[in-house]
Amino acid sequence: MPVPLKTYTFNPNKRYVHEDMFESNRTTLSTLHNWIELSAQARGYVQIADRERYDLGDPYTSAISRDEEGPTFMMSVFHQLHCLSYIVEHFQQGYGGVKLEKEIAHHSAHCFDYIRQSIMCAADTNLEGKTEAGPGWGSKHQCKDYDAVLKWANDNGAMPWRNELMPGDTTL
């Protein structure tokens, strides 16, 4: 999928991260709840009609409607956002003294390494200089147009999950 580029200036956004977000599990989850709008309606699961033309490997099987499952693929950007929010949520719990179950610890380790590999894969080589905003903030980056990516994912998505759940049940 060809994606246009867009120049973004990296700046903090308190809607998605702030210095008090690890104060409590509730504060962390409330902040992460705002991340839901960053994900596609089908959590990044998309249908590729002509998938045989591409070397995509085996598809997942997931809901494509309320009554039907079918072959889907997950867009990496949405897997990466899921992993980052998963790590943040369980970091806060561990920081708060909660002993993480083996499966959660395994999933967290997977996500931590997946994010490392994703950063290396994207290899953002934009040069950052000193700014009044602080390290990394205030610098311009040439990025894929996230709005275009989100639109494509929603246009080609599997079953939209966001509209099917109660507000407290939604996760990234």
Side-chain angles (χ1 to χ4, degrees), residues 74-152:
M74 178 168 238
M75 292 180 69
S76 295
V77 64
F78 301 112
H79 186 176
Q80 293 159 11
L81 283 171
H82 156 78
C83 275
L84 188 56
S85 68
Y86 190 89
I87 291 168
V88 166
E89 176 184 352
H90 293 294
F91 167 82
Q92 194 288 325
Q93 290 175 352
Y95 184 74
V98 173
K99 183 169 172 36
L100 300 181
E101 299 171 15
K102 188 174 183 172
E103 176 56 32
I104 291 172
H106 171 78
H107 192 161
S108 296
H110 154 77
C111 282
F112 191 77
D113 197 50
Y114 186 76
I115 294 298
R116 175 192 63 81
Q117 291 178 57
S118 299
I119 291 168
M120 293 172 70
C121 177
D124 182 349
T125 58
N126 290 284
L127 300 176
E128 300 175 351
K130 187 175 179 180
T131 68
E132 288 185 27
W137 299 130
S139 59
K140 295 192 182 308
H141 293 256
Q142 274 295 77
C143 306
K144 291 184 177 173
D145 182 340
Y146 194 78
D147 293 328
V149 171
L150 193 57
K151 181 178 181 340
W152 188 92

Side-chain angles (χ1 to χ4, degrees), residues 5-30:
L5 295 180
K6 184 175 180 180
T7 300
Y8 289 93
T9 301
F10 283 17
N11 284 306
N13 185 329
K14 291 182 179 184
R15 183 160 174 73
Y16 305 119
V17 64
H18 53 87
E19 61 187 52
D20 298 329
M21 73 181 278
F22 293 113
E23 186 176 281
S24 69
N25 192 41
R26 179 172 170 73
T27 305
T28 301
L29 291 176
S30 293

